[in-house]
């Protein structure tokens, strides 16, 4: 009963509650504080000469939605918000890398097949509110309890690992760098669809370099997955340490307000939303990694690492390290001739 309580009933309660709280403290606070009406006023249904009310697609409904998102992010480019935005965009890649690699893992549950849905939902309703639901599906589907297998039934093939790594670089990293550097409304609008660009880049890579057909087990891509998580750890920890030393006030950068910031400047409400988004996105993922453990001692070690690591190297790097540990565990019993990538 205790095992079922931990593996089924606990996530059924915890992760939906986290998702609901995230919606309340991000979108709910945005509405209550006046941020949402402020953004909507910049994006009327009728086309007007306003900075971000542009004809992005020619569809009025889509253009209004994109205008709202663009208006939000251009407030995030202002000095009070930009340090957190840069931090979030530079360290959030494990949040999308894990679903992307899981989607191409041999024998993965069908419910984890389309991480693009998670990405697009996160763009509309915040990643902090959507990713707890992903982890709920991840745990209940049995993916969290995957074990190493001599048949490589839990591995990621080399072709798919390369494709996912390329897609994350071309479809997520490059658009995010462009977003921060160019501060152009059209680039910002295109960035909203980065999960689609990621999917397209992955499909394109597999088209050019498909998995080699033939008998036997395909080459294992552990080396590629390992390299990606190592790079993510290095980048995330560097950004974290740099932000800690550069920020004049860590409270202003990282700590959100529970109550809506009514009457305050719109950019401060944007900051508050992004702070809560980061709290729930990273927090729910750190919590979900506890289900990677196979023993009580492993679970306690992961909890301790997540707490200490989040402070020292940052939550993004801490998550990357645990994901790498899990990948190494799943790789341990794959025969040597299948490990070559």
């Amino acid at each position: 009963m205790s095992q079922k309580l931990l593996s089924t009933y606990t996530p059924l309660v915890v992760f939906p509650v986290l998702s609901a709280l995230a919606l309340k403290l991000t979108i709910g606070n945005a509405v209550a504080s006046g941020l949402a009406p402020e953004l909507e006023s910049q994006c009327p249904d009728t086309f007007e000469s306003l900075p971000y009310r542009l004809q992005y697609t020619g569809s009025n409904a889509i253009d209004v939605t994109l205008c709202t998102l663009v208006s939000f992010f251009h407030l995030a480019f202002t000095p009070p918000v930009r340090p957190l935005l840069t931090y979030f965009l530079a360290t959030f890649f494990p949040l999308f890398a894990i679903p992307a690699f899981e989607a191409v893992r041999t024998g993965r549950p069908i419910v984890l097949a389309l991480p693009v849905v998670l990405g697009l939902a996160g763009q509309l309703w915040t990643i902090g509110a959507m990713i707890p639901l992903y982890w709920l599906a991840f745990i209940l589907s049995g993916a969290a309890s995957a074990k190493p297998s001599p048949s490589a039934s839990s591995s990621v093939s080399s072709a798919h690992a390369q494709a996912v790594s390329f897609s994350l670089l071309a479809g997520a990293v490059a658009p995010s760098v462009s977003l921060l550097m160019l501060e152009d409304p059209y680039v910002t609008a295109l960035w909203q669809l980065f999960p689609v660009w990621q999917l397209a880049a992955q499909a394109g890579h597999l088209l050019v370099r498909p998995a080699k057909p033939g008998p036997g087990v395909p080459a294992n891509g552990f080396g590629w997955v390992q390299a990606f998580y190592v790079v993510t750890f290095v980048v995330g920890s560097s950004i974290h340490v740099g932000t800690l030393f550069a920020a004049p006030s860590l409270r202003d950068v990282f700590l959100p307000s529970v109550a809506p910031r009514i009457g305050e400047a719109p950019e401060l409400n944007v900051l508050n939303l992004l702070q809560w988004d980061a709290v729930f996105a990273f927090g729910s993922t750190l919590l979900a990694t506890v289900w990677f453990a196979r023993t009580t001692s492993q679970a306690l070690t992961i909890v301790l690492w997540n707490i200490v690591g989040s402070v020292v190297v940052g939550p993004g790097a801490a998550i990357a390290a645990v994901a790498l540990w899990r990948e190494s565990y799943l790789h341990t019993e794959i025969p040597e001739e299948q490990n070559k990538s």
Side-chain angles (χ1 to χ4, degrees):
M1 178 63 183
S2 59
Q3 180 65 28
K4 189 172 184 179
L5 176 67
L6 179 64
S7 62
T8 303
Y9 298 130
T10 300
L12 269 174
V13 173
V14 170
F15 290 101
V17 168
L18 288 175
S19 179
L21 283 173
L23 281 173
K24 169 67 172 64
L25 292 168
T26 54
I27 296 176
N29 277 6
V31 173
S33 67
L35 174 62
E38 171 70 21
L39 296 176
E40 290 170 0
S41 70
Q42 300 297 315
C43 306
D45 288 336
T46 56
F47 182 76
E48 296 182 20
S49 181
L50 292 168
Y52 308 121
R53 182 60 174 94
L54 306 174
Q55 292 186 333
Y56 299 102
T57 66
S59 168
N60 191 63
I62 296 175
D63 287 348
V64 168
T65 300
L66 286 174
C67 173
T68 304
L69 293 170
V70 169
S71 300
F72 175 90
F73 274 91
H74 281 254
L75 284 170
F77 294 148
T78 57
V81 193
R82 191 177 181 91
L84 177 66
L85 178 66
T86 303
Y87 179 92
F88 200 3
L89 292 180
T91 62
F92 81 150
F93 293 107
L95 304 181
F96 291 93
I98 296 174
F101 283 121
E102 289 302 317
V104 297
R105 189 180 301 281
T106 305
R108 58 102 179 95
I110 189 66
V111 71
L112 306 181
L114 291 174
V116 64
V117 175
L118 167 68
L120 291 174
Q123 294 295 76
L124 290 174
W125 297 294
T126 75
I127 190 62
M130 293 298 103
I131 205 165
L133 301 181
Y134 172 83
W135 290 119
L136 176 64
F138 182 86
I139 294 167
L140 295 184
S141 68
S145 57
K147 297 179 180 179
S149 169
S151 66
S153 62
S154 60
S155 69
V156 176
S157 73
S158 180
H160 285 99
Q162 292 176 41
V164 169
S165 299
F166 173 77
S167 74
L168 288 163
L169 290 172
V173 175
S176 296
V177 171
S178 300
L179 173 78
L180 290 172
M181 292 184 64
L182 299 178
E183 297 187 17
D184 178 84
Y186 288 104
V187 173
T188 305
L190 286 171
W191 181 85
Q192 307 305 320
L193 296 175
F194 82 81
V196 175
W197 313 140
Q198 182 182 329
L199 177 64
Q202 181 177 325
H205 192 283
L206 286 171
L207 185 64
V208 174
R209 299 194 63 181
K212 294 180 181 178
V217 179
N220 187 273
F222 171 71
W224 286 93
V225 180
Q226 181 184 47
F228 187 89
Y229 283 133
V230 168
V231 171
T232 302
F233 177 89
V234 172
V235 172
S237 58
S238 300
I239 294 294
H240 178 76
V241 173
T243 302
L244 291 183
F245 281 100
S249 169
L250 295 180
R251 178 184 179 86
D252 290 343
V253 175
F254 292 112
L255 295 182
S257 168
V258 175
R261 302 178 74 162
I262 299 172
E264 297 194 27
E267 57 267 26
L268 295 181
N269 281 298
V270 167
L271 174 63
N272 200 54
L273 189 152
L274 288 176
Q275 287 170 331
W276 279 120
D277 199 17
V279 165
F280 283 100
F282 286 125
S284 62
T285 302
L286 288 166
L287 177 61
T289 61
V290 177
W291 272 266
F292 292 175
R294 297 293 170 270
T295 65
T296 301
S297 62
Q298 286 181 356
L300 292 174
T301 301
I302 290 173
V303 170
L304 180 61
W305 162 251
N306 284 346
I307 295 171
V308 176
S310 293
V311 174
V312 176
V313 297
I319 292 165
V322 180
L324 177 57
W325 168 82
R326 175 175 180 266
E327 205 66 40
S328 301
Y329 166 75
L330 293 176
H331 181 72
T332 52
E333 294 183 10
I334 297 175
E336 183 62 30
E337 62 270 16
Q338 297 172 10
N339 288 342
K340 298 176 182 178
S341 58

